[in-house]
Amino acid sequence: MSRPAVDYDVIIVGSGAAGLTAALVLAERARVLVLAKGALDAGSTAWAQGGIAAVLDAGDTFADHIEDTMTAGADLNRQKTVEFVVEQAPQAIERLSRLGVPFNSDGTQLHLTREGGHSHRRIVHVDDATGWAIQSALLNAARANPNITLRSGMVAIDLIGDRHRISPEGGQKIWGVYALDTASDSSTTGRVQALTARATILATGGAGRTYQFSTAPRGATGDGIAMAWRAGCRISNMEFMQFHPTCLYNTEVKNFLITEAVRGEGGILTLPPDAGAEAGRRFMPDFDDRLELAPRDVVARAIDHEIKRLGLDYVHLDISHRPPSFVQEHFPTICERLLALGIDMTREPIPVVPAQHYTCGGVRVDLAGRADLPGLYAIGECSDTGLHGANRLASNSLLECFVFGDAAARAILARLEDMAPPPPVHPWDESRVSAADEEVVIKQNWTEIRRFMWNYVGIVRTDKRMERAANRIRLLTGEVQEYYGNFHVSQDLIELRNLLQTADLIVRSARRRKESRGLHFNADYPLLNEIARDTILVP
């Protein structure tokens, strides 16, 4: 009851690029348990189409990559973090190549493409399915490593801290997680397990599913951010939710992203036939001198503006003026997927709309991924390292996963021998709850959260809209807490609880920022403050 049958040195919650990178480095000297909420390859990494930003071209420099990142982030980035990540990028690409990631090449050199906000071609890629190639390589390496245990179907509920010890000592150290085993028969006893270790890494991804329209996978419900907040960690800059400008508009198919690289290779944004006399007009010249290669927040707001101004359902992204062989060679996955839906992107434009794409804020950490509580680390999209600032530069996200996955792992290894083994902790207590009797409550509340967040705290915000969102969060919080306290936990209930907590953190952060910066645009405060300041929430 007090100790698990198997001891681990490190527990990693999340099996994407950040989590598996950390696991592979840690496995040199540590026993590692990696938990995945669903399938091991079901996270955001496998969905990434574009690539990884790295200075590899002779005409490019670290200084240029740093400047592009700071410009996109509206100078809210932490300079030391940006320098650290950019300078580590070439080594990260080299490590991935050694793992067998088949990056596209151009002769003897890696093929580099360009994306919005970048001043040079610096995106290393595997066709238009970079994330899937990386996920596969990392997962194969992890499966082959005897020091790494991979478990799918493990839904983390909350962090285990000193207060959960059999003999509490009043500290704040984190010792692991309580997790629901959905891979086992739900009728078995002990389905919620107390998993403990010397150190715990959150690599749980972002909170995209807080919004009605998102490119994020089903499991992106802000789990790590919510768990860290409940445990007592600071959360920062949650108002900066990135909306990708070009998600396929199709009522039957959800969450299919049209990569930034389509615009990088010459794709233009035009108005569709429903725009009447303006049909076919290229509209980005009205908004930014960088046209379609402006940062994502600029392009997303431009599309949102045109859709609302003209009452449209979508706009067009058109690369049909390029040779068909060029388009098919550069975007084979997208071409195939669109053809199955009756769209030939080599001959006609693609209907697109903005959709939530990336969580720039999260658990506040240092350059080693350390969170506020001893023994706890956060890496990848659930963290706020200071790299992205007020807006993430395209293809810096996978890069951040590799750099901080490596940094956190090495920080843990450096003091592994000095870390105390996990103490006996209390098992999960379900003695005073019963089986849920109204699952419709979960579905209804989930739908309501995502709709009001999209409408009130989306691409363009106002004080009144955010006040309405805050009022709804207050009402739903009581309902969800009551439900959570009375019934057995399920994956849907755990995710609903985290979605609501994350929505609350986003709204709190957004209401505090009295300016428009980067991804946060408040029509009541359209100007930029002179000094860029982080929004830091303290439990």
Side-chain angles (χ1 to χ4, degrees):
M1 179 180 77
S2 59
R3 289 294 294 276
V6 179
D7 287 331
Y8 298 99
D9 294 308
V10 184
I11 292 173
I12 300 174
V13 187
S15 60
L20 292 179
T21 296
L24 290 168
V25 176
L26 284 163
E28 297 170 8
R29 288 193 289 115
R31 295 159 299 170
V32 185
L33 172 63
V34 178
L35 305 178
K37 182 161 65 170
L40 292 168
D41 58 1
S44 296
T45 296
W47 293 52
Q49 295 175 344
I52 310 164
V55 174
L56 297 170
D57 185 67
D60 200 2
T61 66
F62 287 154
D64 286 341
H65 191 178
I66 290 165
E67 183 179 353
D68 291 345
T69 301
M70 297 290 291
T71 299
D75 293 321
L76 196 69
N77 327 61
R78 282 176 247 164
Q79 179 90 22
K80 286 185 178 179
T81 302
V82 177
E83 292 170 357
F84 173 65
V85 173
V86 167
E87 290 167 8
Q88 295 294 315
Q91 296 96 303
I93 299 299
E94 186 179 335
R95 289 196 300 271
L96 289 167
S97 294
R98 288 200 302 268
L99 279 177
V101 177
F103 291 119
N104 288 49
S105 59
D106 189 359
T108 60
Q109 304 295 318
L110 291 174
H111 180 268
L112 305 175
T113 188
R114 185 179 172 189
E115 293 181 340
H118 289 274
S119 57
H120 296 271
R121 284 182 171 268
R122 63 167 71 101
I123 312 304
V124 183
H125 63 105
V126 182
D127 294 328
D128 56 350
T130 309
W132 180 255
I134 288 169
Q135 180 73 44
S136 299
L138 290 171
L139 205 46
N140 288 339
R143 284 176 170 142
N145 196 305
N147 277 342
I148 299 175
T149 300
L150 301 166
R151 292 187 64 182
S152 58
M154 297 296 292
V155 185
I157 304 171
D158 268 319
L159 293 165
I160 295 174
D162 275 328
R163 67 189 181 91
H164 298 105
R165 296 171 65 152
I166 297 294
S167 302
E169 297 179 357
Q172 289 186 301
K173 192 174 189 314
I174 297 301
W175 295 105
V177 293
Y178 290 110
L180 173 66
D181 183 358
T182 62
S184 301
D185 183 351
S186 61
S187 65
T188 59
T189 58
R191 62 198 186 108
V192 175
Q193 299 176 20
L195 302 167
T196 58
R198 297 169 190 260
T200 304
I201 300 177
L202 295 173
T204 53
R209 285 294 166 168
T210 313
Y211 286 87
Q212 184 176 7
F213 301 108
S214 174
T215 64
R218 166 68 172 71
T221 49
D223 303 334
I225 296 167
M227 287 193 295
W229 171 258
R230 289 194 293 265
C233 291
R234 291 174 300 162
I235 306 295
S236 53
N237 296 328
M238 285 298 291
E239 66 269 40
F240 299 115
M241 302 297 286
Q242 187 177 77
F243 292 83
H244 197 288
T246 54
C247 186
L248 174 68
Y249 176 80
N250 187 298
T251 56
E252 302 300 321
V253 179
K254 298 180 181 179
N255 315 321
F256 183 53
L257 175 70
I258 307 299
T259 176
E260 191 107 6
V262 172
R263 284 177 283 133
E265 295 297 344
I268 61 173
L269 290 163
T270 63
L271 295 174
D274 287 352
E278 295 188 60
R281 184 173 69 83
R282 185 180 185 183
F283 58 86
M284 278 309 299
D286 299 342
F287 295 92
D288 197 283
D289 291 341
R290 292 164 291 185
L291 307 175
E292 282 79 9
L293 290 178
R296 288 176 175 175
D297 61 315
V298 176
V299 181
R301 277 199 299 274
I303 294 173
D304 182 70
H305 178 273
E306 293 302 288
I307 285 174
K308 288 176 178 173
R309 180 177 72 88
L310 296 167
L312 306 172
D313 290 324
Y314 57 85
V315 297
H316 275 155
L317 174 60
D318 194 356
I319 196 171
S320 61
H321 51 278
R322 299 284 264 164
S325 58
F326 175 91
V327 176
Q328 289 165 348
E329 179 186 349
H330 282 73
F331 309 108
T333 306
I334 297 174
C335 280
E336 183 180 354
R337 184 77 182 273
L338 290 177
L339 276 174
L341 298 170
I343 301 170
D344 183 354
M345 67 183 288
T346 68
R347 306 177 124 199
E348 60 187 316
I350 309 163
V352 295
V353 290
Q356 191 285 339
H357 184 56
Y358 194 84
T359 307
C360 287
V363 184
R364 197 163 181 86
V365 297
D366 66 9
L367 282 176
R370 281 183 289 254
D372 291 333
L373 302 179
L376 182 65
Y377 297 73
I379 55 179
E381 194 175 351
C382 71
S383 68
D384 180 14
T385 64
L387 173 63
H388 306 305
N391 184 15
R392 175 178 70 88
L393 182 65
S395 289
N396 269 355
S397 53
L398 283 175
L399 173 60
E400 180 185 42
C401 290
F402 307 128
V403 172
F404 274 89
D406 181 79
R410 297 197 183 283
I412 292 170
L413 289 176
R415 55 187 302 269
L416 186 65
E417 284 72 21
D418 299 326
M419 291 181 174
V425 300
H426 289 289
W428 185 257
D429 182 8
E430 289 191 305
S431 61
R432 289 168 290 180
V433 297
S434 59
D437 59 354
E438 289 185 296
E439 290 287 337
V440 68
V441 174
I442 296 176
K443 183 177 181 181
Q444 168 62 30
N445 287 350
W446 178 298
T447 301
E448 185 174 347
I449 291 167
R450 297 181 66 207
R451 278 184 177 163
F452 72 65
M453 288 298 291
W454 179 262
N455 290 327
Y456 297 153
V457 202
I459 296 173
V460 176
R461 302 157 182 179
T462 66
D463 282 354
K464 191 66 178 176
R465 291 178 195 171
M466 291 188 289
E467 181 186 353
R468 288 178 176 139
N471 289 338
R472 281 156 178 76
I473 288 170
R474 277 193 290 271
L475 290 172
L476 289 176
T477 297
E479 285 185 25
V480 172
Q481 286 177 343
E482 180 185 10
Y483 200 93
Y484 181 80
N486 286 299
F487 299 113
H488 288 295
V489 292
S490 65
Q491 179 170 341
D492 285 346
L493 178 55
I494 293 165
E495 290 181 329
L496 173 63
R497 182 182 181 225
N498 292 334
L499 271 179
L500 185 58
Q501 181 64 78
T502 305
D504 179 52
L505 295 170
I506 294 169
V507 173
R508 282 201 219 182
S509 300
R511 295 182 81 187
R512 286 192 182 188
R513 187 165 292 280
K514 305 300 183 182
E515 64 166 345
S516 289
R517 182 181 296 273
L519 300 166
H520 173 77
F521 188 85
N522 186 338
D524 294 325
Y525 299 94
L527 302 180
L528 196 68
N529 290 341
E530 270 188 47
I531 301 174
R533 290 190 174 92
D534 292 324
T535 303
I536 302 175
L537 302 180
V538 182

